[in-house]
Amino acid sequence: METLFALSNGYLGIRGTFDESTPSSNRGTFINGFYETWPLTYVEEGFGYAKTGQTIVNVPDATIIDVSIDGEALDVTSANIRASSRTLDLRAGLLTRRLVWTTASGAQATLESERLVSLAHRHLAAINWTITVDRPARIEIASQLRDTEDAELTDATRHRDPRKARVLPGSALQSIHTETEDHRAVLSFRTKSSGLGLAAGMDHTVASETEFKGTTEVTPHGALVRFDYNAAPDVPFTISKFISYADGPAPDTALADHVLESLAEAKAYRFVSLKTAQEEILAEAWRACDVTVGSEPRIQQAVRWNLFHLIQATALTNGTGVAAKGVTSQAYGGHYFWDSEIYILPFLVFTNPARAARLLHFRHSLLDAARRRARAVDQEGALFPWRTINGEEASAYYPAGTAQYHINAAVMYGLRKYVEVTGDTDYLIEGGAEVLLETARLWADLGYYGARGFFHIDGVTGPDEYTALVDDNAYTNLMARQHLRYAVEVTEWLAAQHPEPFEELSQRIGLTPEEPQAWTRAADAMAVPNDPEAGILAQNDGFLDRELWDLAATPRDRFPLLLHYHPLVIYRHQVLKQPDVVLATMLLGDDFDLAQKRRNFDYYDPITTGDSSLSACVQSIMAAEVGHPELALGYFNKGLLTDLCDVYSNADDGVHLAAVGGVWMNLVYGFAGLRDYDGNITIDPKLPAEWTGLSFSMRVRGTFADVAIDHDGVTVTHHQGPELELTVAAQPVVIGEGSSQRVAIGS
Amino acid sequence: METLFALSNGYLGIRGTFDESTPSSNRGTFINGFYETWPLTYVEEGFGYAKTGQTIVNVPDATIIDVSIDGEALDVTSANIRASSRTLDLRAGLLTRRLVWTTASGAQATLESERLVSLAHRHLAAINWTITVDRPARIEIASQLRDTEDAELTDATRHRDPRKARVLPGSALQSIHTETEDHRAVLSFRTKSSGLGLAAGMDHTVASETEFKGTTEVTPHGALVRFDYNAAPDVPFTISKFISYADGPAPDTALADHVLESLAEAKAYRFVSLKTAQEEILAEAWRACDVTVGSEPRIQQAVRWNLFHLIQATALTNGTGVAAKGVTSQAYGGHYFWDSEIYILPFLVFTNPARAARLLHFRHSLLDAARRRARAVDQEGALFPWRTINGEEASAYYPAGTAQYHINAAVMYGLRKYVEVTGDTDYLIEGGAEVLLETARLWADLGYYGARGFFHIDGVTGPDEYTALVDDNAYTNLMARQHLRYAVEVTEWLAAQHPEPFEELSQRIGLTPEEPQAWTRAADAMAVPNDPEAGILAQNDGFLDRELWDLAATPRDRFPLLLHYHPLVIYRHQVLKQPDVVLATMLLGDDFDLAQKRRNFDYYDPITTGDSSLSACVQSIMAAEVGHPELALGYFNKGLLTDLCDVYSNADDGVHLAAVGGVWMNLVYGFAGLRDYDGNITIDPKLPAEWTGLSFSMRVRGTFADVAIDHDGVTVTHHQGPELELTVAAQPVVIGEGSSQRVAIGS
């Protein structure tokens, strides 16, 4: 529940805890990119290993509002609860709660609360909390802002699950300053090792006809505001609690000032205005990205929950990426992976190009660190870290970390999709080309020409983490090939169209005219292992010769395999955590004909466990394309319900944001059958027979359009922007000036 | 110097420190198999990873004898030293020292000391220490027994060298009891985590015509015995310091009693008797294992230093193995590796079968732990840990640890050599067969039949640690093949010759009649990757397709590669740390003809860095066999001088015992050209042109014989035991009854 009801704005995230401090599973408030560092230690050290761990900090919790009535503290595990409900309003961006409780003293108390994390103001959250009793009672309310001991992490490590965050013993924060006035408290901190600055504050307004006594206490790591009063029957007592956080690269009084300003502003606007602003922003967001699923209200609700988390997680990021769990937990350390480019960016490119651009700019900001990382592994160019917050590699297990060189290609892939779909070629001049060329250089340096003239890339790990340190991973080589070719294409375009910026860039990065030629040569000679008889790709050189894992004979309780078998056992078998070759046939679909895709899917899908939450949407999209509609729907449901039904038994670790992004991809690429090869939009629907329709909106090169699909045809409606040419069910369509076109689908 | 002058008896080891406490590099006293445990933690945990670290404890140091003359403490870094020498007497097993020192007060002091670690009594060491001054002086002597803080380790980790030991912060020991009487002190401890028991004691006798004052102080972690006196000119003052240690599985007053008894006994015998016993034992040891090198006194001295360390390290092991550094340092944690079977055991088999048997019995004692380890990596049978003290896997980096399944075959190889050369087939009944069959089962279960009917073993690491996690490592598969075949041979022999023990064993381990059949089938179908055109083996499937490392272009200061390149970089290249295929052609030499061996050597040797100290002797032996005498001599010298000339810049980390064992192998297998395939002894000398001769002794199936080689022929002399048939320079020779045979070598 704490994960499902989590609220965030991409900068600030608050788990869906109760207002009262107990019970809770993992209380947590997070600021994107606000992290503590710690030394990565290895029993057996190796050259070039990542040196510094980074973990997103669980910042002081400002959500707590404890209440006692006639001396009985509210705790739903022991209280006599008469009615209880919580609602996440996806349209309003509001978590509401209503609780009716009969106290030991015989009073009936009604508690109503609303919580929001502002989508208008990244530094702000607020809670509106009201209690009413039906007879006279003594009420004591304790509203807190409290630094935690990261207890969640201590617990997490007991599971020995590598996906959990590393323990930071005790608090990561050192108190710098505290200040209080009336019912307000602001605490200032610095992180002990990374040296970042944080200010956290809360303020309160009370609306009540009752007299009350308010007191404020503060300690270096906490603040407590008490409201005590004698309640009269049926007279509500309402507290609006305003919460603000600000962080910076170093402690600075400006952070506390920022928090004070935010609190003052929020207090002036009042809670109701924050709600109104929230609704307006969300209305616009939903208009841009909603996907409707005809005749399937339960699926529709689940889809919207996923889209809501996509909206939240990408809303107000500020010089940061989008972490694997957004800002809903500490799992995976709050790190950014390739997920952002492959699973999140497509949604943004088609629904909110400005947010997509922010993600790309963030990647660009890590380029210098990526250059250093390439040197550390003895390569030229740039190598993005497999997992990071601050740009330095934070993966302590290199076979499934640094070895995933394919992250470089993911960056290229996202960049290319952005440029082609949005038409923002300026971005190439403003940094895109630099990222593209530096990352392309890595491939040219990493690979080599073998005896038969092929260009090989050895000793890498592809997307599938059940196979590691292999030669000529097909996915990696195919993506590297496209990377090299696109780098050449952009180089030529830049040289021809923008000679001055090109000259400047070439000078700065020391690009020689021979390099693009070498890239073309390497791309043309790229080794792509395959089995010509079976007509399929080999996941890597030798993969098809390996022993097949007997999935049918594997007990259900030994999944996910990574938690029940030594990596040595997993790695030596043909068994996949997630699609690898099949992902390549999806991302590079125009390099394969349908029969090839089907053969690869039919070989690899049965040996794919789907133990990764990045798996199901890819399996579904390709199942839909190659003609396995039932499989496609099954995988879609798995992805859709990843968190809602706790498919992986770790929904408590926060939202699986790649799976969430995968839901949008699954609907749009899978069932609507959209493709965007070279920026050309084609729609070839694969609507599930069980559904009556599917509609979505998209923004392509400045045009905003709706696409509505049913079993008889596709209607494309123009709303805004220039004319757009696209292909629908193999027919060319041009829309513009508010026009609508319907293409019938032959049956 | 502390390594070169280290003394040990295989149970107790003392580094060659000065008597006075400063200066020293890494003071250290070690007891074989006496270890502390600590949790192995991983930033990213994996299923089946080793859980518990084991590190040999640096036990309380009893060597310290500090001296002050007229208030000036002896420290050779500041004292006015007139003469100084230290001598390691390899015949006497004695480290002697003579130092002449002019004090600030104008006295000339002569210090003479002798130190021994008893080869007669494993629990005992002793120091005889004499000081004489040429004029009246005030002399204060402080003899200590002092627990250290393992400061050496704190220092070691700063290097980030994975081969060093893990830090144990502070002392690993908890004081249990102390007792003193006169000049004696005994301290009792338990290790804090592993719970082992230790008693350490010292006692002193003084021989002097001078009056002196003696005091004894004790703290939980140290004891200090002071001797103060006014020295008369030229009157020597001699202290005999007796030192004893005893350890056990738990603290026990019997340990202190044992120490007290040993001290009392030593005191009764006096230092001179310990010296006499030492010489007698060494005389016998040298008679059994000396190797002489004609006309090369410097090489002879170096050879004997190496042999001396082999004698010491294997002398009085007691239910333990022989660690990578013997008991001369904490590096590699005091762990036992495959080194003992492949590098140490051949020496023992030919020179001291009883010691060889002890090593085999020790391995057998770990069989239950090896069965558990096999289960942890999802296999049947038994898998010996890559590195261990107590039988549990202690390797925290599985790609170059647990993945080295070939350790199972090393155990088989050592066992087979022992049985065939010593003729002790009883050992098979007394546990050898059980080890052999259980370890063979692992191969049968680990491998699988591929599409073309070959039996493959995927995802393992061979002996060469610059290549990891590969399919069909040729070395591993060839050794596994011999392992399976030998297991079948022993099974059949046991069933036919010893049906009752066979029945009992079969029942106990659940051996079915089908299993040996399956082993034969797997052995016959074993995949051995090769390049038929080049006529060489491939180190593993795909190895020969990999990019060649440009060794010529690699700066000297970037060796060893493992300390200067990320493993990802190393693993993807054709570059070797140590022989892999070439080692197979050595150990399984009868599976290859000379031309095959030469082709393999000529391909692999140039890409072998020799960054491992296990490398040079193998390179030399095979260079000698395939006809590269200059290379053979070069590699021999490298191996010979590994520690003496600090070839790897880490001689301070203790004796490279595998290289030391390799010196004997290099002389006997390499230059004397001995082979023992199936237990048949052949001698085909490859005497270096620069040497006039080479002689060694050997014990084969109860026969003790000398072999003397010069450029004209080979003389084999029988001393003891039954007749022995062997082949010398392709001629059959039979010796017996003290006879001597000379076979001329054609030139």
Side-chain angles (χ1 to χ4, degrees):
Chain A
M1 288 302 120
E2 289 179 356
T3 292
L4 298 185
F5 289 146
L7 294 174
S8 94
N9 59 20
Y11 171 77
L12 172 64
I14 297 180
R15 287 173 63 83
T17 43
F18 291 131
D19 301 300
E20 60 276 14
S21 54
T22 55
S24 77
S25 164
N26 299 320
R27 299 197 79 82
T29 301
F30 307 100
I31 293 175
N32 194 350
F34 184 76
Y35 65 96
E36 178 59 325
T37 51
W38 39 281
L40 290 175
T41 55
Y42 305 88
V43 180
E44 298 184 40
E45 179 72 36
F47 181 88
Y49 281 15
K51 298 272 186 290
T52 306
Q54 304 157 34
T55 300
I56 194 168
V57 175
N58 191 354
V59 298
D61 182 357
T63 61
I64 302 170
I65 303 177
D66 281 319
V67 61
S68 291
I69 300 182
D70 298 326
E72 180 190 355
L74 172 61
D75 181 326
V76 296
T77 57
S78 54
N80 180 4
I81 303 296
R82 310 307 295 264
S84 173
S85 69
R86 300 174 88 197
T87 305
L88 178 62
D89 186 330
L90 306 174
R91 195 188 334 244
L94 204 66
L95 176 63
T96 65
R97 181 189 190 197
R98 187 166 182 280
L99 183 82
V100 181
W101 162 41
T102 303
T103 67
S105 61
Q108 177 158 303
T110 303
L111 191 161
E112 289 168 302
S113 85
E114 300 172 300
R115 183 191 290 178
L116 62 80
V117 173
S118 176
L119 293 163
H121 187 330
R122 71 163 60 89
H123 298 278
L124 200 67
I127 299 168
N128 207 45
W129 186 96
T130 300
I131 195 151
T132 316
V133 284
D134 67 348
R135 66 184 66 179
R138 174 71 188 164
I139 300 191
E140 297 166 318
I141 299 162
S143 172
Q144 294 190 53
L145 168 62
R146 188 171 75 186
D147 191 13
T148 63
E149 297 270 320
D150 286 352
E152 120 178 49
L153 293 182
T154 311
D155 183 63
T157 50
R158 259 192 262 119
H159 297 98
R160 296 207 156 215
D161 180 339
R163 303 164 299 184
K164 307 249 174 183
R166 164 79 176 206
V167 178
L168 295 177
S171 171
L173 300 174
Q174 178 187 343
S175 171
I176 297 288
H177 184 69
T178 63
E179 56 186 291
T180 60
E181 195 180 310
D182 294 336
H183 306 319
R184 188 181 72 209
V186 177
L187 310 181
S188 296
F189 301 96
R190 70 178 299 150
T191 50
K192 289 173 183 166
S193 169
S194 57
L196 308 181
L198 174 75
M202 63 174 177
D203 200 352
H204 304 76
T205 57
V206 176
S208 171
E209 295 164 16
T210 315
E211 291 258 314
F212 66 91
K213 180 181 160 218
T215 58
T216 303
E217 302 161 31
V218 69
T219 66
H221 285 267
L224 173 62
V225 177
R226 290 184 193 279
F227 302 100
D228 299 346
Y229 70 103
N230 292 313
D234 301 324
V235 177
F237 187 92
T238 297
I239 296 171
S240 295
K241 181 175 187 176
F242 303 99
I243 297 164
S244 179
Y245 297 89
D247 75 312
D252 184 337
T253 54
L255 297 174
D257 291 346
H258 196 154
V259 162
L260 286 167
E261 270 172 41
S262 300
L263 292 173
E265 197 182 315
K267 221 168 145 178
Y269 283 127
R270 292 183 303 133
F271 189 81
V272 65
S273 305
L274 302 183
K275 271 172 69 175
T276 309
Q278 191 85 338
E279 275 179 36
E280 286 171 5
I281 288 165
L282 275 170
E284 194 181 332
W286 282 115
R287 178 65 193 93
C289 76
D290 193 22
V291 181
T292 69
V293 174
S295 74
E296 299 282 346
R298 289 175 51 170
I299 291 177
Q300 181 68 64
Q301 187 185 39
V303 164
R304 289 220 173 98
W305 180 87
N306 280 277
L307 294 176
F308 178 73
H309 271 283
L310 272 178
I311 293 170
Q312 289 198 121
T314 61
L316 298 171
T317 59
N318 181 25
T320 63
V322 176
K325 301 288 183 181
V327 272
T328 67
S329 115
Q330 260 172 324
Y332 290 108
H335 294 167
Y336 317 122
F337 293 79
W338 71 312
D339 310 24
S340 47
E341 275 83 1
I342 300 294
Y343 290 82
I344 307 297
L345 200 65
F347 165 78
L348 296 180
V349 163
F350 278 97
T351 67
N352 198 323
R355 290 187 185 178
R358 283 213 306 270
L359 263 189
L360 298 178
H361 283 295
F362 169 66
R363 209 42 108 171
H364 184 206
S365 75
L366 306 183
L367 185 57
D368 276 341
R371 288 181 172 116
R372 288 195 298 274
R373 187 64 193 152
R375 296 314 157 268
V377 293
D378 209 52
Q379 303 298 345
E380 297 171 5
L383 174 62
F384 282 102
W386 177 243
R387 53 191 300 172
T388 191
I389 294 177
N390 65 9
E392 305 296 326
E393 176 65 274
S395 169
Y397 179 62
Y398 75 81
T402 302
Q404 297 200 46
Y405 289 81
H406 67 81
I407 190 171
N408 258 23
V411 170
M412 171 283 298
Y413 190 85
L415 186 158
R416 184 180 178 207
K417 187 181 292 282
Y418 170 81
V419 169
E420 290 179 345
V421 174
T422 68
D424 179 14
T425 51
D426 285 355
Y427 173 66
L428 292 172
I429 302 163
E430 293 155 5
E434 184 179 8
V435 170
L436 184 64
L437 271 52
E438 285 284 60
T439 47
R441 279 176 156 171
L442 177 113
W443 297 121
D445 184 49
L446 181 64
Y448 69 100
Y449 290 91
R452 286 176 294 265
F454 289 106
F455 190 76
H456 300 279
I457 299 173
D458 286 352
V460 304
T461 299
D464 165 40
E465 293 178 341
Y466 283 176
T467 318
L469 304 183
V470 297
D471 297 343
D472 286 332
N473 169 253
Y475 174 91
T476 303
N477 289 19
L478 288 164
M479 291 290 281
R481 182 169 77 184
Q482 178 166 101
H483 195 154
L484 292 165
R485 286 183 175 155
Y486 186 55
V488 172
E489 184 186 323
V490 167
T491 303
E492 288 170 355
W493 170 84
L494 207 58
Q497 304 292 323
H498 303 275
E500 276 182 41
F502 176 70
E503 187 55 31
E504 189 276 327
L505 175 62
S506 299
Q507 289 273 340
R508 187 150 42 82
I509 68 171
L511 185 75
T512 65
E514 290 73 31
E515 274 185 273
Q517 295 168 18
W519 297 345
T520 298
R521 204 160 57 240
D524 290 347
M526 189 66 73
V528 182
N530 63 82
D531 178 342
E533 274 179 49
I536 59 172
L537 296 175
Q539 182 164 316
N540 53 262
D541 188 33
F543 181 84
L544 297 173
D545 298 328
R546 294 201 160 190
E547 189 173 15
L548 280 162
W549 187 288
D550 190 348
L551 283 175
T554 306
R556 286 312 305 168
D557 62 3
R558 295 194 80 182
F559 290 87
L561 302 183
L562 78 146
L563 296 186
H564 300 93
Y565 295 90
H566 195 289
L568 280 166
V569 181
I570 296 174
Y571 291 170
R572 71 165 59 92
H573 285 89
Q574 288 196 54
V575 64
L576 276 60
K577 189 179 175 199
Q578 64 207 90
D580 201 277
V581 162
V582 169
L583 179 61
T585 67
M586 177 182 126
L587 298 182
L588 308 171
D590 49 346
D591 284 352
F592 303 91
D593 65 30
L594 186 61
Q596 287 173 318
K597 291 178 195 178
R598 186 180 295 126
R599 285 193 302 269
N600 280 294
F601 183 90
D602 289 349
Y603 185 82
Y604 284 103
D605 200 60
I607 58 174
T608 303
T609 59
D611 283 348
S612 165
S613 67
L614 279 61
S615 190
C617 68
V618 178
Q619 293 177 280
S620 177
I621 291 167
M622 292 312 295
E625 179 168 355
V626 305
H628 297 304
E630 283 173 28
L631 265 186
L633 195 59
Y635 286 133
F636 170 75
N637 286 332
K638 182 179 179 189
L640 180 72
L641 302 175
T642 294
D643 291 307
L644 289 166
C645 291
D646 199 7
V647 169
Y648 295 95
S649 301
N650 61 358
D652 58 327
D653 279 342
V655 173
H656 290 80
L657 212 63
V660 163
V663 168
W664 182 88
M665 289 206 293
N666 209 153
L667 292 164
V668 173
Y669 285 99
F671 296 138
L674 180 142
R675 293 294 181 272
D676 53 17
Y677 306 132
D678 302 325
N680 301 316
I681 305 300
T682 60
I683 292 173
D684 185 9
K686 310 287 181 194
L687 189 64
E690 294 83 348
W691 297 5
T692 56
L694 171 66
S695 76
F696 67 98
S697 303
M698 62 180 184
R699 219 173 268 279
V700 178
R701 290 181 287 282
T703 302
F704 182 58
D706 284 345
V707 179
I709 296 164
D710 57 42
H711 287 289
D712 301 324
V714 178
T715 305
V716 185
T717 306
H718 178 275
H719 289 290
Q720 200 186 324
E723 268 191 3
L724 176 65
E725 294 178 26
L726 66 166
T727 306
V728 177
Q731 297 181 40
V733 170
V734 183
I735 53 166
E737 300 291 327
S739 71
S740 192
Q741 294 251 9
R742 178 154 178 98
V743 176
I745 304 174
S747 63
Chain B
M1 289 300 121
E2 289 179 358
T3 292
L4 298 186
F5 289 146
L7 293 175
S8 95
N9 58 22
Y11 170 78
L12 172 65
I14 297 179
R15 288 172 63 82
T17 43
F18 291 132
D19 301 299
E20 59 276 16
S21 53
T22 55
S24 77
S25 164
N26 300 320
R27 299 198 80 82
T29 301
F30 308 99
I31 292 175
N32 195 351
F34 183 75
Y35 65 96
E36 178 60 324
T37 50
W38 40 280
L40 289 175
T41 56
Y42 305 88
V43 180
E44 298 184 42
E45 178 74 34
F47 180 88
Y49 281 16
K51 300 272 184 290
T52 306
Q54 304 157 32
T55 300
I56 194 169
V57 174
N58 191 352
V59 297
D61 181 358
T63 59
I64 302 170
I65 304 176
D66 281 318
V67 59
S68 290
I69 299 181
D70 296 327
E72 180 191 355
L74 172 60
D75 181 328
V76 296
T77 57
S78 54
N80 181 5
I81 304 295
R82 311 305 297 262
S84 173
S85 70
R86 300 175 86 199
T87 306
L88 177 62
D89 186 330
L90 305 175
R91 195 188 334 245
L94 204 65
L95 177 62
T96 63
R97 181 187 190 199
R98 186 165 184 282
L99 183 84
V100 180
W101 163 38
T102 303
T103 67
S105 61
Q108 176 157 303
T110 303
L111 192 162
E112 289 168 302
S113 86
E114 299 173 301
R115 182 190 291 179
L116 63 81
V117 173
S118 176
L119 293 163
H121 186 330
R122 70 163 62 87
H123 298 277
L124 201 68
I127 300 168
N128 207 45
W129 186 97
T130 300
I131 195 151
T132 315
V133 284
D134 68 346
R135 65 185 65 180
R138 174 72 190 161
I139 299 191
E140 297 166 317
I141 298 163
S143 172
Q144 295 190 52
L145 168 62
R146 189 171 74 185
D147 191 13
T148 63
E149 298 271 317
D150 286 353
E152 117 178 52
L153 292 183
T154 311
D155 182 63
T157 51
R158 259 193 262 121
H159 297 97
R160 296 205 155 217
D161 180 338
R163 302 165 299 185
K164 306 249 175 182
R166 164 80 175 203
V167 178
L168 296 177
S171 172
L173 300 175
Q174 179 187 341
S175 171
I176 297 287
H177 183 72
T178 63
E179 56 185 290
T180 59
E181 194 180 310
D182 294 337
H183 307 318
R184 187 181 73 209
V186 176
L187 309 181
S188 296
F189 301 95
R190 69 178 296 152
T191 49
K192 290 173 182 166
S193 170
S194 57
L196 308 180
L198 175 75
M202 62 175 178
D203 200 353
H204 304 76
T205 56
V206 177
S208 172
E209 295 166 15
T210 316
E211 292 257 314
F212 66 92
K213 180 180 159 218
T215 59
T216 302
E217 301 162 33
V218 69
T219 66
H221 285 267
L224 174 62
V225 177
R226 288 184 194 281
F227 301 101
D228 299 346
Y229 70 102
N230 292 312
D234 302 322
V235 177
F237 187 91
T238 296
I239 296 172
S240 295
K241 181 174 187 178
F242 301 99
I243 297 165
S244 179
Y245 297 89
D247 75 312
D252 184 338
T253 53
L255 296 175
D257 291 346
H258 196 154
V259 163
L260 286 167
E261 269 172 40
S262 300
L263 292 173
E265 196 181 317
K267 222 167 144 179
Y269 282 126
R270 292 182 303 130
F271 189 82
V272 66
S273 305
L274 302 184
K275 273 172 67 173
T276 308
Q278 192 86 336
E279 275 179 38
E280 284 170 6
I281 288 165
L282 275 170
E284 192 180 334
W286 282 115
R287 179 65 193 91
C289 77
D290 193 22
V291 181
T292 69
V293 175
S295 74
E296 299 282 345
R298 289 175 50 171
I299 290 177
Q300 182 68 65
Q301 188 186 40
V303 164
R304 290 219 173 99
W305 179 88
N306 281 277
L307 294 176
F308 178 72
H309 272 283
L310 272 178
I311 294 170
Q312 289 198 122
T314 61
L316 298 171
T317 59
N318 181 25
T320 63
V322 176
K325 300 289 184 181
V327 271
T328 66
S329 117
Q330 259 172 325
Y332 290 106
H335 294 166
Y336 316 123
F337 293 78
W338 72 312
D339 310 22
S340 47
E341 275 83 0
I342 299 295
Y343 290 82
I344 307 297
L345 199 65
F347 165 78
L348 295 180
V349 163
F350 278 97
T351 68
N352 199 322
R355 290 187 185 179
R358 283 213 306 270
L359 262 189
L360 298 179
H361 284 295
F362 169 66
R363 214 32 115 172
H364 184 207
S365 75
L366 305 184
L367 185 57
D368 275 340
R371 288 181 172 115
R372 289 195 298 275
R373 188 65 193 151
R375 294 317 157 266
V377 293
D378 209 51
Q379 303 297 346
E380 296 172 6
L383 175 62
F384 282 101
W386 178 244
R387 53 191 299 172
T388 192
I389 294 177
N390 65 11
E392 305 296 326
E393 175 66 275
S395 169
Y397 178 62
Y398 75 80
T402 301
Q404 297 200 44
Y405 289 83
H406 67 81
I407 189 171
N408 258 23
V411 170
M412 172 283 298
Y413 190 86
L415 187 157
R416 183 179 179 207
K417 187 181 292 281
Y418 171 80
V419 170
E420 291 179 345
V421 174
T422 68
D424 179 13
T425 52
D426 286 353
Y427 173 65
L428 292 172
I429 302 164
E430 293 155 6
E434 185 179 9
V435 170
L436 184 64
L437 271 51
E438 284 283 61
T439 48
R441 281 177 154 170
L442 178 113
W443 298 121
D445 184 49
L446 180 64
Y448 68 100
Y449 289 91
R452 286 176 294 265
F454 289 106
F455 190 78
H456 299 279
I457 299 173
D458 285 351
V460 305
T461 299
D464 165 40
E465 294 178 340
Y466 283 175
T467 318
L469 304 184
V470 298
D471 297 343
D472 286 332
N473 169 253
Y475 174 90
T476 302
N477 289 18
L478 287 164
M479 291 290 281
R481 182 169 77 183
Q482 179 166 101
H483 195 154
L484 292 165
R485 287 183 175 154
Y486 186 53
V488 172
E489 184 186 322
V490 167
T491 303
E492 289 170 354
W493 170 82
L494 207 57
Q497 303 292 323
H498 302 276
E500 275 182 42
F502 176 70
E503 187 55 31
E504 188 275 327
L505 175 62
S506 299
Q507 288 273 341
R508 188 148 43 82
I509 68 172
L511 185 76
T512 65
E514 290 74 30
E515 273 186 274
Q517 294 167 21
W519 298 344
T520 298
R521 203 160 58 240
D524 290 346
M526 189 66 71
V528 182
N530 63 83
D531 177 341
E533 272 179 51
I536 59 173
L537 296 174
Q539 183 165 316
N540 52 264
D541 188 32
F543 182 84
L544 297 172
D545 298 327
R546 295 203 158 188
E547 188 173 14
L548 280 162
W549 187 288
D550 190 348
L551 283 174
T554 306
R556 287 310 305 168
D557 61 4
R558 295 195 79 182
F559 290 87
L561 301 183
L562 80 146
L563 295 187
H564 300 92
Y565 294 90
H566 195 290
L568 280 166
V569 181
I570 296 173
Y571 291 171
R572 72 165 60 93
H573 285 90
Q574 288 194 55
V575 65
L576 276 60
K577 188 177 176 201
Q578 64 207 87
D580 201 276
V581 162
V582 170
L583 179 60
T585 66
M586 177 182 126
L587 299 181
L588 307 171
D590 49 346
D591 284 351
F592 303 89
D593 65 32
L594 186 61
Q596 287 173 318
K597 292 178 195 179
R598 186 181 294 124
R599 284 194 303 269
N600 280 294
F601 183 91
D602 289 349
Y603 185 82
Y604 285 102
D605 200 60
I607 59 174
T608 302
T609 60
D611 283 348
S612 165
S613 67
L614 279 61
S615 191
C617 69
V618 179
Q619 293 177 281
S620 177
I621 291 167
M622 291 311 297
E625 178 167 357
V626 306
H628 298 303
E630 284 174 26
L631 265 185
L633 195 57
Y635 287 132
F636 170 75
N637 285 333
K638 183 179 177 188
L640 180 72
L641 301 174
T642 295
D643 290 307
L644 290 166
C645 291
D646 199 8
V647 168
Y648 296 93
S649 301
N650 61 359
D652 56 330
D653 279 342
V655 173
H656 290 81
L657 212 63
V660 163
V663 168
W664 182 89
M665 289 206 292
N666 209 153
L667 291 165
V668 173
Y669 286 101
F671 297 137
L674 178 142
R675 292 294 181 272
D676 51 20
Y677 306 131
D678 303 325
N680 300 317
I681 305 301
T682 60
I683 292 173
D684 186 11
K686 310 289 180 192
L687 189 65
E690 295 83 345
W691 297 5
T692 56
L694 171 66
S695 76
F696 66 98
S697 303
M698 62 180 184
R699 218 172 270 281
V700 178
R701 291 182 284 281
T703 302
F704 182 59
D706 285 343
V707 179
I709 296 163
D710 58 42
H711 288 289
D712 300 323
V714 178
T715 305
V716 185
T717 307
H718 178 276
H719 289 290
Q720 200 186 325
E723 266 191 4
L724 177 67
E725 293 179 28
L726 66 166
T727 306
V728 177
Q731 295 183 40
V733 170
V734 182
I735 52 166
E737 300 289 327
S739 71
S740 191
Q741 293 252 8
R742 178 157 177 97
V743 177
I745 304 174
S747 62

